[in-house]
Amino acid sequence: MGVVNVTPDSFSDGGVHLDSDRAAAAARRMLEDGAAIVDVGGESTRPGSEGVSAEEELRRVVPVLERLAGVVPVSIDTSKARVARVALELGAELVNDVTALRSDPELADVVADTGAYLCLMHMLGEPRTMQQDPRYDDVAADVAAFLEERLAFAVAQGIPEERICIDPGIGFGKTAAHNFELLRRLDVLLALGRPVLVGFSRKRSLGRVLGDPDATTGPLSASLAAAVTAYERGAAILRVHDVREHVEALTVAQGVMAGP
Ligand code: HH2
């Protein structure tokens, strides 16, 4: 899954794809480079961010979605039913909700009615405050219990389980140690029986483990290591900014794992 953030303030690519022609070109390139789907988002959820209105989100993403319709498989990164509905009308196939159906009570109906795919992600708290001393009893078990509950909720709302993937939410109310433990113990999430999506690309934990305590992002080399590790442990979808490099790294990892 390639990432195209149509935002001025995303943590690693803010402002790069604000122009809709550039954003659409980047998405097409990601498809050529081997992405199966491109996640288009109009709201940053980086630590400390405040959120934007549905009008602003639509203003950012609609021109991009119009350019991609019928050309690139699209996932819409939104928590808002209105934005999701318009995106699905414009051909998006998957709704990526970082709040796991907790912020907009109408979003579940939109997904159920349209038959879209859905990603349910774990987040502790909200982006504005989530990195202020996050704590867990047992991070893997706590995240799995949350996702199991949200999965049951989504299914109760009429969304078929086969259409849902789950995501530990790397960096969403987690220290670097929490993020690494979640990858190490990915089997706890896989036990829920749904495909697991991991988004470690460029996240600050990667820069911090490399020795910069104030890092707000991580380098490509570290993103690749995290992606390969996640893949080895069973992740089915990797959400990444640098598609070509990840496809190359994962092709090698796949070759090794497939054996002779
Ligand atoms: N991470 C980000 C945004 N959306 N969705 C899922 N399912 N999983 C993730 O790990 C995830 C996500 C944050 O990264 P990015 O989109 O690059 O930045 P920003 O939120 O600042 O736009």
Side-chain angles (χ1 to χ4, degrees), residues 98-99 102 122-131 136 172-173:
V98 297
T99 72
R102 290 179 300 158
H122 175 272
M123 176 179 353
L124 184 69
E126 52 171 6
R128 203 166 46 80
T129 54
M130 65 189 177
Q131 289 307 100
Y136 297 86
F172 287 84

Side-chain angles (χ1 to χ4, degrees), residues 3 5 7 9-13 39 43-46 77 96 98 119 121 167 169-170 172 197-201 203 239 241:
V3 182
N5 288 312
T7 57
D9 56 347
S10 286
F11 79 96
S12 80
D13 63 351
D39 193 37
E43 175 180 53
S44 173
T45 48
R46 74 186 187 290
D77 189 347
N96 175 22
V98 297
C119 180
M121 195 196 80
D167 180 344
I170 299 299
F172 287 84
L197 185 156
V198 170
F200 225 131
S201 176
K203 289 208 172 144
R239 183 181 181 277
H241 301 81

Side-chain angles (χ1 to χ4, degrees), residues 29-241:
R29 199 170 324 111
M30 288 178 184
L31 188 71
E32 283 165 23
D33 286 344
I37 194 160
V38 176
D39 193 37
V40 177
E43 175 180 53
S44 173
T45 48
R46 74 186 187 290
S49 62
E50 291 283 354
V52 297
S53 66
E55 287 71 28
E56 178 59 19
E57 224 179 298
L58 285 166
R59 198 185 62 72
R60 294 176 183 177
V61 299
V62 164
V64 180
L65 298 172
E66 284 171 346
R67 285 164 174 74
L68 299 181
V71 182
V72 176
V74 166
S75 149
I76 179 73
D77 189 347
T78 190
S79 302
K80 300 187 183 76
R82 236 182 97 198
V83 176
R85 192 178 296 112
V86 173
L88 294 166
E89 279 165 10
L90 288 170
E93 297 171 26
L94 185 153
V95 175
N96 175 22
D97 178 12
V98 297
T99 72
L101 300 181
R102 290 179 300 158
S103 76
D104 187 333
E106 289 171 26
L107 184 55
D109 278 351
V110 172
V111 177
D113 293 348
T114 53
Y117 289 94
L118 173 68
C119 180
L120 296 171
M121 195 196 80
H122 175 272
M123 176 179 353
L124 184 69
E126 52 171 6
R128 203 166 46 80
T129 54
M130 65 189 177
Q131 289 307 100
Q132 294 166 6
D133 194 23
R135 286 169 194 241
Y136 297 86
D137 289 333
D138 172 333
V139 69
D142 291 2
V143 167
F146 169 89
L147 290 172
E148 186 172 25
E149 189 275 322
R150 296 321 293 163
L151 192 56
F153 173 81
V155 171
Q157 299 298 304
I159 303 167
E161 189 168 341
E162 310 77 62
R163 299 210 154 239
I164 303 174
C165 67
I166 54 176
D167 180 344
I170 299 299
F172 287 84
K174 284 138 196 134
T175 62
H178 291 141
N179 291 327
F180 289 129
E181 183 169 348
L182 281 164
L183 269 203
R184 192 162 57 247
R185 298 175 60 205
L186 210 61
D187 57 321
V188 178
L189 300 189
L190 289 166
L192 296 178
R194 300 308 313 143
V196 173
L197 185 156
V198 170
F200 225 131
S201 176
R202 298 187 184 173
K203 289 208 172 144
R204 63 169 61 174
S205 293
L206 302 171
R208 296 196 176 180
V209 82
L210 292 177
D212 176 359
D214 302 319
T216 55
T217 181
L220 173 59
S221 51
S223 302
L224 294 170
V228 168
T229 315
Y231 169 71
E232 260 195 307
R233 282 166 168 67
I237 306 169
L238 297 151
R239 183 181 181 277
V240 307
H241 301 81

